[in-house]
Structure formats: structure tokens, C-alpha cells
Amino acid sequence: MSEHPTIDDPELGTLVRATTELSDGTVLTHDWYAGTLEIDGADLEIMLEGTSADEARTLVPRVRQTIAALGVLRRLATDAVVTAFSTGTPEQHELDEAASDLSLDTIEASTDATVVLHFTDNCGNHFPEGYWPAVHLGTDGQITRVTVES
């Protein structure tokens, strides 16, 4: 039996305690549970903060709500990215390009009930390699800020 129980959810699938194995064989155990969910033909990584399955499981409803809103939320998020990094009011074609060029690849839920949507720049024209935009959602599901992460 695994040292860490999994979270089995009918909508999110199986989430396991995240680990990283170093080149010397050392295994690092992270403070989150992770899994992959296929949405619209693409894999979406799900990350739930928590040092126990019970702690991480409390975030499942929040992630389900976020996924249920993705139809609208994706576009709001990519528009927010463009707006945050524009010097003026973005033009419609800039918003449309970002909606097409940025793909959602990770939903990260924290124990404070905030959610971060991590995007990938598919064309490499918007963010330097190794950097990506992240859209932070407050507990009310509204966008609170946009950051660049690495």
C-alpha cells in the first residue's frame, strides 16, 4: 500500500501525492496532490495543495466549480493577461490572438481556496521561454491578479 492515500473523484479522476525523484534516487514529497484530466481533447493538470488526502480533498468542490466555468473563464483569463501586460487598451485582434495562443495547462488550488490558472504560450511570441502567465482567482471565482511565473 502507498505511503500516501490517493484521492479518487468521479469528476477529477485519481489525484496522488506529488513526488519528484532526484538523480541520486532521493524522492522529494511535495505538499500537493496532482492528477491529469482530459478536457476538450487536451490534458489539464490538476494540483490541490495539502499534506494529507483529507486536507487536499477539501479543495475538490472549488476545482469542480472552476472546471464548470472554464467555457467562459478561459477567455476572461486570456483577456486579463493581455490587459495586464499592455501599455494601453488592447485591440480586439490582440485579445483574439491571446485566446488562441495561450492554452490552459494547469489548475492549482490552494488551501486558502484561491485558484491559479497556469497558461502555456503555444507560439512562444508572448513570453520568454521558461516563463508563463498565471491568472489568480479569488474565493469568489473572480480574477484578482495576473502574474508571470517561471
Side-chain angles (χ1 to χ4, degrees):
M1 177 155 169
S2 169
E3 180 181 345
H4 302 284
T6 61
I7 298 170
D8 294 306
D9 183 77
E11 291 179 44
L12 303 181
T14 300
L15 302 160
V16 298
R17 184 75 182 262
T19 59
T20 302
E21 185 171 347
L22 303 177
S23 59
D24 68 0
T26 303
V27 176
L28 303 176
T29 302
H30 302 288
D31 291 344
W32 69 81
Y33 281 72
T36 304
L37 181 64
E38 185 178 318
I39 296 181
D40 298 331
D43 285 343
L44 180 63
E45 185 176 4
I46 306 296
M47 296 173 59
L48 306 177
E49 184 181 21
T51 57
S52 71
D54 288 341
E55 183 180 19
R57 194 176 285 112
T58 64
L59 300 171
V60 166
R62 181 78 169 99
V63 173
R64 285 182 183 165
Q65 291 171 342
T66 302
I67 290 170
L70 281 181
V72 173
L73 198 49
R74 277 186 181 138
R75 181 57 189 244
L76 291 173
T78 59
D79 285 0
V81 169
V82 174
T83 301
F85 299 109
S86 293
T87 55
T89 302
E91 295 185 23
Q92 188 61 47
H93 73 90
E94 294 172 306
L95 299 172
D96 294 343
E97 287 172 10
S100 150
D101 294 343
L102 300 176
S103 63
L104 179 63
D105 62 10
T106 304
I107 296 176
E108 174 187 351
S110 298
T111 53
D112 65 0
T114 60
V115 170
V116 180
L117 306 177
H118 297 270
F119 288 84
T120 297
D121 178 4
N122 294 322
C123 65
N125 292 329
H126 305 285
F127 294 89
E129 188 173 336
Y131 294 85
W132 63 89
V135 176
H136 302 252
L137 307 175
T139 56
D140 61 359
Q142 298 299 305
I143 296 170
T144 59
R145 66 188 174 118
V146 176
T147 59
V148 175
E149 301 191 5
S150 63

